[in-house]
Structures are given as C-alpha cells and as structure tokens.
Amino acid sequence: MNPLTATHPTCGLFISFEGIDGAGKSTHIAGLAAAFRAEGRAVTLTREPGGTPLAEKLRALVLGDAMDPLTESLLVFAARRDHLVNVIEPALARGDVVLCDRFTDATFAYQGGGRGFDLETLGTLERWVQHTPAMADSAVRQPDLTVWFDLPAETAAARLAHARAPDRFETQPVAFFLRVRAGYAARAAAEPQRFARINADQSREQVWQAIAEVFVARAWLSRIHPPGGKAA
Ligand code: TYD
C-alpha cells in the first residue's frame, strides 16, 4: 500500500499541471487520475479557468472575448475564487487527490509574462483569492506540487498548427509563448521545491516515465503505472 495512504488516510494532495499550449498535459493528467484511483485514492479531476458552473462561464468569456489584461486577470481570479471555495478546498478537506489542469502559475505566465501585466498586482490578487477564513492568518493556498511540462515555444507552435478551432491564446504568435515560457521559468525558479520540470519535448512514453518517477520518489504512488490509465 502507498505509505501516504497508510499513514495519512485523510491527507489531501493538491497537484497542478502547467505548460504552454501544445505541451501535451491532458493524457498524462488522465493517466495520473487512473494511477491514484488504482491505489485506492479518491481523485478530483478539475481545471482552470473552470471547474464550477460559474467558473466555466467565466472561462468561455476569457477564451472567447477580447478584453484588456486587467479584465482578463480579474476574470481568471474570480473563476479561481469560486473554484477554490466550492471544489478545491472541500476536496482537500475530504482527503482527495486534486489534479488541477492549470492554476495560478498560468496567470503569472499568461497574463504576467504573455500579456506583460503587472506582477505585483497579480501577487496581491493571489493573496486575496487563495486565502479563506479557515486558514491560518496570512496563509495562501498553493499546490503541493506543480508539474511543469516544458518545451520550446516553436515546438509547441508546430503541434498547435493542427489544433481544431484555436482559442484566443492558441492564436498568439510564437513571441507570446516565449514570454509565457519565461513566466513559468521565473515562477519555478522562485519556488523550486514546489515545481517538477518535465522535459515535454520527448515521446509520450518518456514524458509519462519522467512524471511517474516524480510521484514515486515522493511516495505518493507506490509504483510506475502504465501510461494513459491502462490497466497494469
Ligand atoms: P487549456 O488549459 O490549454 O485547455 P485546452 O486544452 O482546452 O486548450 O486552455 C486554457 C487557456 O487559458 C490556456 O491558453 C491558458 C489560459 N489561461 C490564462 O491565460 N490564465 C490563467 O490563469 C489560466 C488558468 C489559463
């Protein structure tokens, strides 16, 4: 049995997944959900912007409508607040493993890096939005681990060239994604213990192996499961 499950049956885990568009997060998130469930953990699989009915409406606005960077930042943080209060915090309190496709690092990377919006303002919003009355004084909810799928912006752009119906971010030029990638690199450098950088510029099997090794090293999974949620 997983040592974590054995010793902390109600210890929630909050894991976020980040990277520029085209980095290939989705199949690996599904694979991790299957791996945790196979080891007896309850999993909450969710995403940002989104994860609640209100936040999904805000997502449609952010991905579809033109707006200035402050409006964009406020909407993603409004969506985050609703999601945190109604989904993430209750799931962690139940002891679930929360697998969240993007979280606040995406705001620093896309609105901060990509759009060039003020990082200090984003930091203020982060402290407001990610604190709840149940937490200690100035505590700010952050993921226990952030899996960062890193690959060159040019490689991601080539992958996205085949994407159907690109959204407002996916249509941005490569220069935008160079800034987004630099935004992620800055967040990872500031909090190296929270980030696991995965080289996403390799085969799907190699990427899965690298991710699985991170989870086994932390004793969050007891073994390396097959990729894509296939049965062992
Ligand atoms: P994404 O997570 O890539 O979903 P899909 O796989 O359906 O395309 O899309 C979400 C987009 O929203 C992505 O381009 C990044 C952007 N985004 C922000 O700009 N700021 C944020 O805070 C978040 C969470 C996402």
Side-chain angles (χ1 to χ4, degrees):
M1 183 186 245
N2 175 359
L4 185 86
T5 324
T7 51
H8 305 287
T10 58
C11 180
L13 261 185
F14 181 21
I15 298 152
S16 65
F17 300 85
E18 300 283 359
I20 58 177
D21 292 271
K25 297 176 270 106
S26 312
T27 51
H28 298 300
I29 298 174
L32 277 170
F36 273 110
R37 285 178 179 134
E39 296 202 6
R41 295 294 303 254
V43 174
T44 292
L45 197 55
T46 190
R47 69 170 181 181
E48 290 213 346
T52 67
L54 172 60
E56 290 291 333
K57 288 184 198 165
L58 296 173
R59 176 189 177 95
L61 296 175
V62 169
L63 298 191
D65 292 25
M67 61 189 76
D68 95 311
L70 173 57
T71 311
E72 197 171 278
S73 302
L74 291 170
L75 288 183
V76 292
F77 269 116
R80 182 160 302 131
R81 179 70 184 177
D82 194 59
H83 187 213
L84 188 81
V85 168
N86 292 302
V87 173
I88 296 176
E89 291 299 332
L92 292 175
R94 285 195 303 269
D96 282 16
V97 176
V98 177
L99 303 179
C100 191
D101 188 344
R102 301 191 186 280
F103 195 62
T104 303
D105 298 305
T107 314
F108 280 83
Y110 280 79
Q111 281 64 53
R115 303 278 193 225
F117 187 68
D118 181 48
L119 299 179
E120 239 177 82
T121 307
L122 295 182
T124 302
L125 292 169
E126 177 182 37
R127 287 189 296 278
W128 284 354
V129 165
Q130 290 159 230
H131 177 81
T132 68
M135 294 175 190
D137 272 358
S138 55
V140 175
R141 174 64 71 192
Q142 295 291 6
D144 297 297
L145 172 72
T146 296
V147 181
W148 172 30
F149 292 75
D150 187 32
L151 86 171
E154 294 81 1
T155 311
R159 290 184 187 176
L160 279 181
H162 310 288
R164 288 171 298 127
D167 62 40
R168 272 177 72 233
F169 295 100
E170 290 163 345
T171 51
Q172 292 293 319
V174 170
F176 177 87
F177 290 104
L178 288 171
R179 296 195 298 274
V180 173
R181 187 187 185 196
Y184 278 127
R187 291 282 281 183
E191 277 186 86
Q193 71 296 341
R194 175 164 69 81
F195 274 80
R197 178 189 170 274
I198 302 293
N199 173 13
D201 195 8
Q202 41 182 357
S203 75
R204 189 171 287 187
E205 289 70 26
Q206 286 168 317
V207 171
W208 172 255
Q209 180 74 21
I211 296 169
E213 281 170 10
V214 170
F215 283 78
V216 171
R218 290 181 183 234
W220 289 347
L221 287 173
S222 67
R223 63 188 171 86
I224 294 186
H225 292 248
K230 283 181 232 133

